[in-house]
Amino acid sequence: MSAPCPPQAALREDPPLRADPFPAGSPALVRSVAKAAQILRCFTPSSSTLTVRDIARRTGLPRSTCHALCSTLVAEKMLELRPGGGYVLGVELMVLGTQVMERSGLVDAAVPAMNGLAASTGSEIRLGQLHDTSIVYLHRIRATRRVGADDRFGLRLPAHLTGCGRAAMSAMDAAAARRLAASGGVEPGSVDRLMAELLSARTRGFVVSTSPA
């Protein structure tokens, strides 16, 4: 359950990605496809518009390579070129993402329980899925008592900064939750405090979050 308040922590800037996505001993793969995937992963909620210079800095790829790949991704509607300059993720990715959701059946399976919770609590109910170190919002049941939160369909946020993400982390074993926190950008001095909060949530059966999402 989340309550609205000013954000407690800013989203961390993503570190530069590996210039070569093929570690030693990896099977024969198509490098241009891997580089295109690197480019798509550069985009985050806090960095939704990126220039070729930005992409080159984040991936370590040459600017000429980034420009050629971005032009190809635009032609395939995976990226869009903004009139004022810079690229944003394209609508084709949303179409593909929707197919992934429909294939998983997670939303259909969760909706009856979500409806029941909305009816019994009068609150808005959200469904999120843990992906790597982030939470991705998949569905929302609106209710009369709406909590002001940014939980747009498809929005991806660091798990430790959201109520849904902390709920997922509280269901993990302590070692796995600690690894996720460390790799997800939690400051080393804050990991123990987060682990204590997750233990409390596991004990009482719910998460209390002051995050805006």
Side-chain angles (χ1 to χ4, degrees):
M1 183 177 295
S2 300
C5 81
Q8 294 284 317
L11 298 180
R12 294 170 60 89
E13 189 71 20
D14 288 346
L17 301 177
R18 290 172 56 94
D20 186 353
F22 294 87
S26 62
L29 301 174
V30 181
R31 288 179 177 270
S32 59
V33 174
K35 291 174 182 178
Q38 277 189 288
I39 288 174
L40 293 176
R41 292 193 186 102
C42 286
F43 295 85
T44 68
S46 60
S47 301
S48 59
T49 302
L50 297 173
T51 65
V52 169
R53 184 188 297 274
D54 296 329
I55 293 169
R57 176 177 55 81
R58 289 177 175 229
T59 61
L61 298 171
R63 289 178 63 181
S64 58
T65 299
C66 292
H67 184 270
L69 287 172
C70 286
S71 297
T72 304
L73 290 168
V74 168
E76 295 298 325
K77 299 182 180 180
M78 301 288 182
L79 290 180
E80 296 177 8
L81 180 60
R82 300 295 295 269
Y87 295 91
V88 297
L89 294 178
V91 68
E92 189 65 22
L93 293 175
M94 182 176 66
V95 174
L96 295 174
T98 301
Q99 293 182 44
V100 173
M101 285 181 52
E102 291 175 349
R103 182 202 65 195
S104 71
L106 177 59
V107 174
D108 289 340
V111 162
M114 294 175 70
N115 283 331
L117 281 172
S120 62
T121 65
S123 298
E124 189 168 283
I125 308 300
R126 305 179 196 89
L127 175 66
Q129 183 175 17
L130 191 65
H131 178 70
D132 294 332
T133 61
S134 302
I135 199 77
V136 180
Y137 287 99
L138 304 180
H139 193 57
R140 176 173 65 191
I141 302 293
R142 295 186 180 275
T144 54
R145 188 173 67 189
R146 187 179 188 281
V147 176
D150 189 0
D151 54 359
R152 301 183 305 276
F153 167 76
L155 180 67
R156 178 174 177 168
L157 293 172
H160 68 277
L161 295 182
T162 71
C164 280
R166 291 191 177 204
M169 292 177 70
S170 71
M172 302 167 67
D173 66 75
R178 185 176 288 275
R179 286 194 300 270
L180 189 152
S183 59
V186 179
E187 296 291 345
S190 300
V191 171
D192 287 340
R193 183 169 66 250
L194 174 61
M195 295 302 298
E197 293 174 2
L198 295 178
L199 177 60
S200 296
R202 193 158 47 242
T203 300
R204 64 176 173 255
F206 59 89
V207 169
V208 176
S209 174
T210 56
S211 164

